Amino acid sequence: DSKLCFHSSFAFGVATASFQIEGAWNVSGKGESIWDRYTHEHPERVFDHKNADVADGSYYKVKEDVQLLSQLGVNFYRFSISWPRILPDGLSNNVNEDGIRYYKELIEELRKNKITPVATMYHWDLPQSLQELGGWTNPIIADYFVDYARVLLDNFGDTVKVWLTFNEPLTFCENGYGGDDAPGGRSSGFEDYMCGHNVLRAHGMVYRMFDQKYRKITKGVMGITNVFPWIEPATTSREDQKAADAARQFMFGWYANPIFSQQGDYPQVMRKAVDANSKRQGFPRSRLPYFTAEEVEMIRGSFDFMGLNHYTTYLAAPGSGKISTKPSYQDDINAIITQKDEWPKSNSTWLRVVPWGFRRCLNWIKNAYNNPKILITENGVSFEAGLHDTKRVNYIDAYLRALHAAIYKDGCHVLGYTYWSLMDNFEWMRGYSERFGLYQVDYESQNLTRTPRLSAKYFSNVAKTGCLPDDYTDYTYN
Ligand code: BGC
């Protein structure tokens, strides 16, 4: 029989993030987040000039949303906790009990419905008050993150067994502190690397605290989610291969190498390039900070599993070899690679459908980091807003087939798969213009009606049976 099935222990889930769905931005004691501030101050920078003040109203819809999950038949739900809803000014001496109550209610409702909660501590909504101290560029943020994590583990540690410290540091450090594509700080060519550095330290510190003080009580596991678009050489030439390899290190190795490699620390190709570029730019010290020996020790191996977000694949060719007078991470990477974009266009500006890239990505991780346990924490597509979303169905089906091959043919150690997203939501700078949901959200309707798309039926069938149906053969996307 040709039916492709996953092992019965393989888990299926869906994901969301606090800022993208909750709404209720200033009620019940919640503090202001950097995304509240940014979308209010710069509506023109968001594609449709909208904000997430109301979003999906999930703050008021715990039961309803858990029913959606229950209908899907998923094993787990990945959600994120809003730091300013728990600590309105970011600091642990002022805990907002209403915030604690909200997540307790959500977790309780999930457990009643036999859905495992998977919680992300930080999915980009930093308390505004901490941004004013420099946000992720101020080393003290790591201590504040530890304090916040302690509050979460004290309150939810008995019921949440799967934790992710961060979602996609690459994205929030680069967009927030390297450019102004997200709230953050100045971009002088230092801040993006400072952000990354402090995030890695904060992750390591929280993992060690979890390991030493909470693991026994909670019997939980902890990881971090990084994003890894596959980077394929544009041609088979040695130059293109070299460029692709360097790009993988710059985009994924930056955050993965210090945690998951034997060596610990930043990838060598990145270390060398940024050190050399900094020198050429006249800086006596590298723009990429150095970890102390203790920090390397603390960060190396700080995981029980690897969280992985994967959406798409890019082509790489060699970069200009030149650095500009305005230093930045982006400038460093541009010197090494040129990103080529030859995939069929979709109506997303960035997302191309390349299922085999997913398989290569998983194999690359397997080889680079000694086959770690991986939880796919996001994979999804935004092509269709309508209910009959055959392209989304085809995307999921094709990516699941690639995943199946990576696990059962190549031996990659993948524990579960998460579709992004349970429902349409506030898609950051793209506002509500890109829709990732298995459920469509009607933003015109009074109660923000959720309606299952065809993809919800498809995914629910996969989640419930653990098998891919053999009647999906249409993998064309053009
Ligand atoms: C983020 C999500 C986002 C998704 C689609 C991921 O990078 O974690 O918050 O909605 O991409 O753009």
Side-chain angles (χ1 to χ4, degrees):
D1 180 357
S2 66
K3 214 175 180 74
L4 294 181
C5 294
F6 290 80
H7 192 270
S8 62
S9 64
F10 189 85
F12 289 93
V14 289
T16 60
S18 48
F19 185 74
Q20 296 179 271
I21 64 163
E22 285 177 8
W25 78 280
N26 62 352
V27 305
S28 305
K30 179 180 165 292
E32 187 186 22
S33 81
I34 54 173
W35 275 93
D36 293 319
R37 176 69 64 92
Y38 188 80
T39 51
H40 294 155
E41 273 185 358
H42 303 289
E44 76 289 349
R45 293 201 193 152
V46 178
F47 182 79
D48 56 8
H49 299 192
K50 298 205 167 121
N51 60 44
D53 291 0
V54 177
D56 293 358
S58 288
Y59 186 71
Y60 303 105
K61 292 175 181 290
V62 168
K63 289 219 156 76
E64 189 184 329
D65 286 351
V66 175
Q67 274 320 297
L68 304 181
L69 294 159
S70 164
Q71 277 154 29
L72 285 176
V74 288
N75 307 106
F76 66 92
Y77 177 45
R78 176 182 176 230
F79 61 96
S80 82
I81 298 174
S82 160
W83 188 340
R85 197 179 289 290
I86 299 289
L87 307 177
D89 17 62
L91 307 177
S92 56
N93 56 357
N94 176 20
V95 178
N96 175 28
E97 291 305 329
D98 274 346
I100 302 279
R101 209 168 298 135
Y102 166 63
Y103 293 108
K104 280 207 166 142
E105 194 191 327
L106 172 63
I107 293 160
E108 189 45 40
E109 195 62 23
L110 289 169
R111 284 159 53 86
K112 266 195 225 152
N113 285 273
K114 301 204 165 37
I115 299 164
T116 302
V118 175
T120 306
M121 293 177 164
Y122 187 79
H123 200 128
W124 309 355
D125 41 359
L126 187 73
Q128 179 64 34
S129 52
L130 295 184
Q131 187 59 53
E132 263 129 52
L133 302 179
W136 290 104
T137 62
N138 186 339
I140 203 163
I141 190 88
D143 298 313
Y144 293 152
F145 186 69
V146 169
D147 292 344
Y148 164 57
R150 189 181 297 116
V151 172
L152 299 188
L153 291 167
D154 283 341
N155 280 283
F156 313 122
D158 55 337
T159 46
V160 177
K161 307 292 175 197
V162 187
W163 290 95
L164 292 153
T165 50
F166 289 97
N167 180 70
E168 296 193 6
L170 175 79
T171 312
F172 71 83
C173 285
E174 174 42 20
N175 294 355
Y177 298 89
D180 55 10
D181 234 23
R186 255 160 28 102
S187 48
S188 65
F190 289 83
E191 279 83 352
D192 34 20
Y193 291 125
M194 286 160 74
C195 171
H197 202 69
N198 290 325
V199 166
L200 284 161
R201 289 176 51 247
H203 164 80
M205 286 159 72
V206 166
Y207 181 83
R208 296 302 162 200
M209 172 174 79
F210 175 75
D211 199 34
Q212 285 152 22
K213 304 221 174 91
Y214 290 90
R215 193 192 292 283
K216 264 209 198 107
I217 314 162
T218 69
K219 309 235 171 0
V221 288
M222 183 174 276
I224 180 172
T225 281
N226 284 305
V227 60
F228 192 5
W230 179 242
I231 320 245
E232 180 73 7
T235 72
T236 55
S237 78
R238 267 198 62 78
E239 293 71 35
D240 287 2
Q241 286 182 33
K242 221 178 129 199
D245 209 54
R248 288 171 206 140
Q249 295 295 353
F250 259 85
M251 298 183 82
F252 187 66
W254 179 8
Y255 292 99
N257 225 60
I259 299 173
F260 298 97
S261 76
Q262 288 297 316
Q263 160 227 359
D265 220 328
Y266 295 117
Q268 281 199 349
V269 47
M270 185 169 183
R271 177 87 267 165
K272 268 199 196 150
V274 185
D275 286 4
N277 291 353
S278 305
K279 207 167 255 165
R280 280 154 73 195
Q281 282 153 339
F283 298 112
R285 287 180 185 274
S286 179
R287 288 182 286 108
L288 182 64
Y290 280 79
F291 291 114
T292 63
E294 292 77 42
E295 285 171 337
V296 170
E297 274 297 298
M298 171 187 73
I299 296 166
R300 179 173 49 205
S302 59
F303 68 96
D304 302 315
F305 66 97
M306 173 191 277
L308 179 70
N309 290 358
H310 176 87
Y311 287 88
T312 195
T313 289
Y314 302 116
L315 290 180
S320 63
K322 295 197 184 90
I323 46 163
S324 75
T325 46
K326 193 177 181 312
S328 71
Y329 161 80
Q330 199 51 56
D331 190 50
D332 293 326
I333 205 173
N334 288 347
I336 296 183
I337 68 149
T338 308
Q339 198 170 293
K340 298 217 166 165
D341 193 15
E342 290 169 358
W343 310 108
K345 293 276 174 208
S346 58
N347 55 3
S348 162
T349 51
W350 59 280
L351 213 163
R352 306 286 177 263
V353 184
V354 191
W356 54 261
F358 192 20
R359 184 173 175 186
R360 290 202 183 176
C361 179
L362 290 163
N363 274 282
W364 188 92
I365 294 170
K366 174 185 155 204
N367 296 330
Y369 302 127
N370 194 25
N371 205 8
K373 288 180 196 158
I374 297 177
L375 178 64
I376 307 300
T377 40
E378 288 180 31
N379 172 247
V381 77
S382 55
F383 298 162
E384 286 162 309
L387 292 176
H388 194 75
D389 55 341
T390 53
K391 284 185 182 145
R392 184 172 287 102
V393 171
N394 285 334
Y395 176 98
I396 302 173
D397 192 71
Y399 274 73
L400 283 176
R401 274 164 208 276
L403 175 61
H404 192 276
I407 299 172
Y408 300 105
K409 290 202 172 121
D410 311 335
C412 298
H413 199 163
V414 185
L415 308 169
Y417 171 90
T418 315
Y419 180 77
W420 179 275
S421 177
L422 166 65
M423 57 194 163
D424 295 339
N425 56 56
F426 183 76
E427 189 43 50
W428 309 109
M429 300 302 279
R430 294 182 294 277
Y432 299 95
S433 71
E434 278 201 29
R435 305 294 186 95
F436 280 91
L438 297 177
Y439 285 84
Q440 180 191 64
V441 177
D442 180 358
Y443 292 101
E444 304 301 315
S445 68
Q446 188 74 61
N447 53 2
L448 300 160
T449 312
R450 288 94 156 110
T451 312
R453 294 192 164 107
L454 180 66
S455 54
K457 288 185 197 131
Y458 168 86
F459 193 65
S460 135
N461 179 48
V462 173
K464 286 173 183 162
T465 63
C467 298
L468 304 177
D470 30 35
D471 51 349
Y472 276 105
T473 49
D474 173 21
Y475 304 134
T476 47
Y477 302 98
N478 300 299

